[in-house]
Amino acid sequence: MRKLTVILLSVVIALLGLTTMSVAKDSQAYWNTPQEYEETTGNKIEKFHEAPMLRTMVAAGEIPPVEKRLPEDPQVIVPVEEIGQYGGTWHLPDDPWMGNLRMIMYDPPVRWNRDYTAYIPGLVKKWEFSDEGKTITFYFRKGLKWSDGYPFTMEDLRFWWEDLATNDEYRVIQPPWWSHNIDGTLMKVKFIDDYTISFTFKEPHWNIPYILASGFWEWESMMKPKHYLKQFHPKYNSEMKNYTTFQDKDKWWLNPEYPVLFAWHTVEYTPGEGATYERNPYYWKIDTAGNQLPYIDRIEVRYVTDPEVRLLQAIRGEYDATFRGVKDPLKIPLLKEKEKSGNYRVILWKEGAGAWPGVTVNQTYNVEKTKDPFMRNLLCNKYFRRALSYAIDRKRVNDVVWNGMARIQQFTISEESWHFASPEGKKIWQEWANSYVEYNPQKANELLDEIGLNKRDKDGFRTRPDGTKLELILDVRAGKRVFSETAPILKKNWEAIGLRTVINTVNKATQKLRGAQSIYQLRMDEASEMDLWIYPDWVFPTGTDPCRRMWPYIVRYQITNGREGEPIKKGSVEDRLMEIYNKGIPEPDPEKRNHYIWDAVRIHIDEGPFCIGITGGQPSPVVVKNNFRNVPDFGVLGPWAVGAPGNTNPEQYFFKR
């Protein structure tokens, strides 16, 4: 195990171009096992300890002693500030979807580390590739238990795969997108023993561990306690004639009966009001003093959907910690002003925005439906897109929309992405961010004249070369402050260079439909992403959702196996990007894969922009009570795939007395 850790660290060092010391600092945020902790530090964990409420349960004979509740190799978590104290209730706002709570319960098999520089073990002790990357084997920690004390084994994953994902009668849970071979067939799953499973593909799939580290959604769909759920499954209970009851029960965040592997489990749920979560007596992590985590006894979630109500409650000190509850950076001054009276502190994490806002330009505008080949060609003309970019007064947007607190930049993915952590990576990210951001209406006018838009109507607006009306339609999602305040500035800027612009306010469903049909022209958007090999569609013309990004109809062609959409044209920009993507996917060396990302970014610089960035780099306020400790000073909240705040180990947060 020690050898594996050294190898992983050396890979990270090579990947990031960092010194050994800087990598070691974050590696000490956790130790994979108590043995590894002892071998490296010389400190031995002699005895395990538990929360007072659990000692009471042990004394009453309700649960076994802590030594029998932990797995053979519990993970050792190094607290951010200090060893914590047990007890307390964490009060938290959320909505009925419970997205904030579910991101706190971030405990997948593989996970992001605290500073977003590497993927590290979680529920699995290790993973190994064989057969040149075609087979990935996961070794889960022996002795893992569900929150009700029942053993977690590969029978639970067999239940997920055989009785749910590949069960044609139950379509709610299907084989995940990453489980398919290139030819569309499914991976082969082998249940080796109680704690070991392997996935085998027809081609290398080096990304599988990283995919499982994404947010809560990938692992949550697999985390199915067979011993509990089988009573609602028609295969195991003849009284169940369909899957209605099963589907109703299969919501761990709402169902107090549902066993989990997280630090807290549901104990009470009140529809329309909220829920309460209590510490998991069988949680599989300890701190460096041998204390079983979590430190906090309970989490009480109150449904508060109105952002203004959340803000008022936050400044009154009603929340112990909220990471996305008052997310608008414009609220930071008010939050700071009320720190003393509310008995809290504001920690400025990163939003991770590469464009907030930005304008996505449709590169697959549907001529069949719109009957407008001219507009298709115009949107695909890089000089037209650059004219749009040069015409934007980004300082004005920054001043009006962000009170000057954002950074003027072109569209990128998140600056914090591990693709750009090395000096060379930082340099190319900066070049990307600075491309075509100059406010230069004169250059914009010259570009439009050069591409043939040099005729104007009686109102001074440019026309099509045949003299007919030219009109740009900008889709703006309703209810988004940043979009609604930016759109009028864009309209004014673009009309100043002769481009008649219509603001088309749409709801979420309409936006999705226009994306699916690829009939939108321009769309207000926001961009952030940390790992393009997992979620590639901000840079590469591929993905899992044909309603998003710049190439919706190409993606639709891919996911429907050519039944709908349009194929990539040989020799096109999209073809060049996909060539890079297809080279990077089977590449086992993370450093080389980052170089492929840089090659793709170079195409975005030379042939773009495809999405026009306006501002980015905004801070994201985290509000925590003064006695709520072990919350790190750094985090990234925008790209949900990295699991924040879960990647910072909320199980080691505590109330200091």
Side-chain angles (χ1 to χ4, degrees):
M1 192 65 240
R2 176 64 182 154
K3 182 178 180 181
L4 175 61
T5 302
V6 172
I7 292 173
L8 286 173
L9 285 176
S10 66
V11 170
V12 174
I13 293 169
L15 169 66
L16 301 177
L18 301 175
T19 65
T20 304
M21 183 176 295
S22 64
V23 173
K25 181 179 180 180
D26 190 72
S27 74
Q28 292 171 8
Y30 86 103
W31 301 100
N32 207 19
T33 67
Q35 294 80 10
E36 182 182 304
Y37 173 67
E38 180 183 357
E39 291 170 7
T40 310
T41 67
N43 300 320
K44 184 175 183 179
I45 298 175
E46 300 281 357
K47 187 178 180 181
F48 298 125
H49 311 281
E50 60 194 338
M53 66 179 290
L54 297 184
R55 288 202 299 270
T56 301
M57 295 172 70
V58 172
E62 298 175 11
I63 57 175
V66 62
E67 294 83 4
K68 295 185 178 180
R69 300 198 309 270
L70 290 168
E72 288 184 14
D73 290 308
Q75 192 171 54
V76 182
I77 301 300
V78 181
V80 169
E81 297 173 307
E82 59 183 302
I83 297 293
Q85 299 167 321
Y86 283 125
T89 299
W90 175 358
H91 298 91
L92 176 77
D94 212 334
D95 53 44
W97 182 60
M98 299 295 270
N100 294 332
L101 186 280
R102 290 156 87 178
M103 291 299 280
I104 289 169
M105 308 290 198
Y106 172 74
D107 260 327
V110 180
R111 54 186 289 127
W112 282 90
N113 66 356
R114 285 182 196 163
D115 67 2
Y116 310 94
T117 57
Y119 295 96
I120 62 175
L123 282 166
V124 299
K125 186 176 173 181
K126 65 175 181 177
W127 63 89
E128 292 178 345
F129 285 99
S130 57
D131 192 22
E132 298 181 328
K134 297 177 184 176
T135 296
I136 171 71
T137 303
F138 292 99
Y139 300 86
F140 283 81
R141 297 175 192 276
K142 294 182 179 180
L144 284 169
K145 295 179 179 64
W146 295 97
S147 55
D148 61 0
Y150 201 90
F152 165 83
T153 69
M154 294 306 96
E155 283 304 304
D156 296 299
L157 286 181
R158 186 192 298 273
F159 179 72
W160 155 70
W161 183 248
E162 296 181 356
D163 296 326
L164 299 175
T166 58
N167 176 2
D168 290 336
E169 295 180 356
Y170 187 63
R171 305 303 296 170
V172 176
I173 296 175
Q174 299 185 41
W177 62 273
W178 49 263
S179 65
H180 296 80
N181 296 295
I182 290 178
D183 63 9
T185 58
L186 288 175
M187 65 182 181
K188 293 181 179 179
V189 182
K190 184 176 182 181
F191 306 94
I192 299 171
D193 58 36
D194 280 351
Y195 297 101
T196 314
I197 189 173
S198 67
F199 303 148
T200 298
F201 298 85
K202 294 181 179 179
E203 52 275 323
H205 276 62
W206 302 101
N207 276 337
I208 297 301
Y210 310 154
I211 293 171
L212 292 183
S214 296
F216 62 79
W217 47 89
E218 301 294 354
W219 171 239
E220 189 178 276
S221 67
M222 301 169 64
M223 188 192 73
K224 304 301 175 186
K226 179 179 179 179
H227 70 284
Y228 169 71
L229 287 175
K230 69 179 182 180
Q231 64 184 306
F232 311 113
H233 196 294
K235 175 180 174 181
Y236 299 94
N237 185 349
S238 59
E239 294 182 4
M240 296 292 160
K241 304 305 180 183
N242 54 48
Y243 291 90
T244 302
T245 302
F246 183 95
Q247 188 173 346
D248 183 57
K249 294 290 186 179
D250 189 25
K251 295 180 176 65
W252 69 263
W253 61 97
L254 304 179
N255 182 0
E257 300 174 352
Y258 203 111
V260 299
L261 298 168
F262 305 132
W264 297 271
H265 66 105
T266 315
V267 293
E268 184 180 354
Y269 165 60
T270 304
E273 294 184 16
T276 300
Y277 305 85
E278 198 169 86
R279 68 166 61 254
N280 173 3
Y282 297 88
Y283 193 56
W284 45 280
K285 298 181 191 177
I286 59 175
D287 67 16
T288 52
N291 299 305
Q292 185 190 26
L293 298 171
Y295 293 132
I296 294 174
D297 287 338
R298 295 176 186 84
I299 300 177
E300 287 190 1
V301 177
R302 184 194 316 170
Y303 293 159
V304 185
T305 56
D306 188 325
E308 291 303 316
V309 174
R310 286 190 184 189
L311 175 65
L312 290 173
Q313 292 176 343
I315 63 179
R316 289 201 299 258
E318 296 183 20
Y319 306 141
D320 297 299
T322 177
F323 294 84
R324 292 184 173 85
V326 285
K327 201 178 176 186
D328 190 343
L330 290 186
K331 308 303 182 184
I332 292 173
L334 177 60
L335 289 167
K336 293 290 291 181
E337 178 187 338
K338 301 294 183 180
E339 277 183 321
K340 186 175 181 180
S341 62
N343 191 29
Y344 61 77
R345 65 194 187 279
V346 178
I347 305 174
L348 297 183
W349 281 16
K350 295 285 188 177
E351 177 63 21
W356 189 21
V359 178
T360 296
V361 185
N362 190 354
Q363 298 301 285
T364 59
Y365 189 62
N366 191 337
V367 174
E368 183 180 350
K369 285 187 174 296
T370 64
K371 312 301 181 184
D372 194 351
F374 173 81
M375 182 56 68
R376 166 67 178 255
N377 291 332
L378 188 63
L379 295 172
C380 291
N381 187 314
K382 65 182 178 182
Y383 299 109
F384 173 72
R385 299 193 302 271
R386 288 174 189 175
L388 294 181
S389 185
Y390 284 128
I392 297 173
D393 186 349
R394 290 173 171 82
K395 184 179 185 303
R396 174 71 175 163
V397 174
N398 192 18
D399 290 342
V400 171
V401 179
W402 296 115
N403 290 342
M405 68 172 60
R407 177 179 60 214
I408 290 172
Q409 66 169 78
Q410 188 53 265
F411 153 79
T412 68
I413 66 164
S414 305
E415 181 183 12
E416 298 81 7
S417 167
W418 71 330
H419 302 316
F420 307 106
S422 70
E424 188 176 358
K426 291 180 187 299
K427 182 178 179 180
I428 194 166
W429 183 91
Q430 198 63 52
E431 184 180 351
W432 191 14
N434 290 336
S435 58
Y436 318 113
V437 295
E438 175 190 357
Y439 178 45
N440 194 332
Q442 180 179 343
K443 183 179 290 187
N445 274 308
E446 291 172 355
L447 286 172
L448 294 177
D449 288 342
E450 289 171 5
I451 63 174
L453 298 180
N454 53 3
K455 294 181 179 179
R456 299 192 180 232
D457 61 19
K458 60 182 178 60
D459 296 319
F461 289 114
R462 295 176 186 271
T463 66
R464 300 178 183 225
D466 63 2
T468 58
K469 184 178 181 180
L470 173 62
E471 187 174 74
L472 301 182
I473 300 175
L474 175 65
D475 284 9
V476 179
R477 171 87 173 271
K480 296 268 190 176
R481 178 193 70 81
V482 174
F483 294 173
S484 63
E485 292 181 2
T486 302
I489 300 174
L490 298 183
K491 176 180 172 67
K492 181 178 180 180
N493 289 163
W494 290 339
E495 292 195 338
I497 58 170
L499 294 172
R500 180 183 280 105
T501 303
V502 175
I503 296 175
N504 180 36
T505 302
V506 296
N507 59 27
K508 184 177 181 179
T510 302
Q511 177 178 294
K512 190 175 181 68
L513 178 63
R514 287 171 64 79
Q517 296 178 341
S518 197
I519 58 174
Y520 76 91
Q521 296 178 8
L522 307 166
R523 183 175 66 202
M524 295 293 304
D525 228 325
E526 52 193 16
S528 62
E529 194 53 72
M530 298 286 275
D531 190 335
L532 287 169
W533 298 117
I534 307 304
Y535 295 106
D537 52 1
W538 274 121
V539 166
F540 299 103
T542 188
T544 59
D545 187 347
C547 304
R548 307 195 305 175
R549 314 307 183 227
M550 298 82 84
W551 300 279
Y553 237 38
I554 286 176
V555 175
R556 177 166 290 278
Y557 184 87
Q558 294 167 352
I559 67 172
T560 62
N561 293 318
R563 295 189 303 275
E564 301 174 23
E566 65 180 68
I568 291 176
K569 294 180 180 178
K570 191 70 175 176
S572 64
V573 169
E574 293 82 9
D575 189 41
R576 291 162 57 195
L577 286 169
M578 283 305 296
E579 182 180 358
I580 293 171
Y581 179 79
N582 290 330
K583 287 179 180 178
I585 284 293
E587 173 55 57
D589 185 338
E591 184 178 10
K592 290 182 180 178
R593 291 204 294 179
N594 277 344
H595 281 269
Y596 284 124
I597 293 294
W598 302 344
D599 290 343
V601 168
R602 173 57 57 193
I603 291 177
H604 275 253
I605 295 172
D606 294 343
E607 303 294 338
F610 303 106
C611 177
I612 301 169
I614 301 173
T615 57
Q618 292 88 344
S620 190
V622 171
V623 181
V624 296
K625 296 296 278 292
N626 289 324
N627 67 333
F628 194 93
R629 308 308 305 181
N630 280 350
V631 179
D633 292 334
F634 174 73
V636 182
L637 288 171
W640 281 46
V642 291
N647 72 304
T648 67
N649 304 112
E651 64 273 9
Q652 54 88 51
Y653 298 167
F654 78 102
F655 291 97
K656 189 166 186 175
R657 296 188 290 275

